[in-house]
Amino acid sequence: MNRTTVLGVCLVQERRTSARGVPYALGWVVFRGMDRYTRLPIVGHGVLADRLEAVNGRPVVLAGHLRERSEKDGSSRLQVVVEELFPVEAPIFEAPLGHPVIDGYARAEVSGLLALDPKPLRGATGLRVAVRLPQGAGYGGTSFVNAVVLGDPPPGVKKGRRVYLAGALRPRQSDPERLTLYASEVWAAPGKAQEEEEEVAYG
């Protein structure tokens, strides 16, 4: 399970072609949710690149999967690989940077192995989850999702255990493009993770 649903305005930044000759479009879905302005990075491959350009500057609902994208400066950020896209009608206003934006949201559901021991935070707990990416279209492999759960995690949420998380994607106060999953639902699967999954997450 690795699923994200977003309501916001689609902004296409640029279009490129991969080394395999597949076109893709890079951009954001922008929205204001929970009194915080958010620019969620997105990418659409193939025909979805055309669809993203067709709705550039318009409100949309899109769905896809999360992956962690490495930046040139050594940092990383979450990005949504678009799988479905639908234009919608919604009231538009002007964002701080001058482009159109709407009141929206981003919700994610992920399942994977807890890659590190839970990290105590002030009034919360930080989790880093290794999730499998969908096979096909050049994906596959493993990515990571950083999550925060208020208070202590439920029993059984520990390194190496398969966990399920669901909640809102929210940006850090310092950067509207660096998002964290604030999980309102967290639970651990019973039993031990399969050896194959452990090799993917830690190998």
Side-chain angles (χ1 to χ4, degrees):
M1 179 193 303
N2 180 0
R3 190 70 172 167
T4 305
T5 304
V6 190
L7 168 64
V9 172
C10 176
L11 295 179
V12 176
Q13 178 187 25
E14 61 180 316
R15 182 168 177 142
R16 301 178 184 173
T17 301
S18 70
R20 299 181 180 180
V22 178
Y24 64 97
L26 295 166
W28 305 274
V29 173
V30 297
F31 61 91
R32 182 179 65 184
M34 294 180 282
D35 297 323
R36 191 171 294 182
Y37 168 69
T38 306
R39 299 199 330 169
L40 177 56
I42 60 172
V43 60
H45 297 88
V47 66
L48 284 165
D50 298 330
R51 293 178 182 173
L52 287 174
E53 288 188 323
V55 295
N56 188 24
R58 297 174 55 191
V60 298
V61 170
L62 63 81
H65 63 268
L66 285 174
R67 71 176 180 187
E68 188 177 58
R69 174 184 171 184
S70 297
E71 303 295 330
K72 293 180 180 179
D73 61 4
S75 64
S76 63
R77 67 187 63 200
L78 291 178
Q79 180 186 59
V80 175
V81 179
V82 180
E83 298 171 350
E84 298 176 277
L85 176 67
F86 306 98
V88 296
E89 296 293 332
I92 295 176
F93 55 95
E94 188 173 293
L97 297 179
H99 57 70
V101 70
I102 64 172
D103 287 322
Y105 64 86
R107 178 174 173 80
E109 300 178 32
V110 301
S111 170
L113 299 182
L114 200 58
L116 300 171
D117 289 323
K119 180 180 180 180
L121 304 172
R122 183 180 298 177
T125 304
L127 306 175
R128 185 163 173 81
V129 183
V131 298
R132 293 296 300 269
L133 295 178
Q135 298 293 326
Y139 305 136
T142 302
S143 191
F144 294 90
V145 173
N146 291 322
V148 169
V149 56
L150 295 179
D152 296 324
V157 176
K158 57 185 179 180
K159 181 178 178 180
R161 183 64 64 88
R162 172 168 288 282
V163 294
Y164 299 86
L165 310 173
L169 289 169
R170 296 186 63 193
R172 302 175 189 175
Q173 291 184 346
S174 60
D175 190 337
E177 291 185 23
R178 297 191 182 277
L179 284 83
T180 300
L181 172 58
Y182 284 78
S184 56
E185 301 175 45
V186 182
W187 65 94
K192 296 182 178 180
Q194 297 178 356
E195 292 182 2
E196 179 183 355
E197 293 176 321
E198 290 177 345
E199 291 176 358
V200 170
Y202 309 117

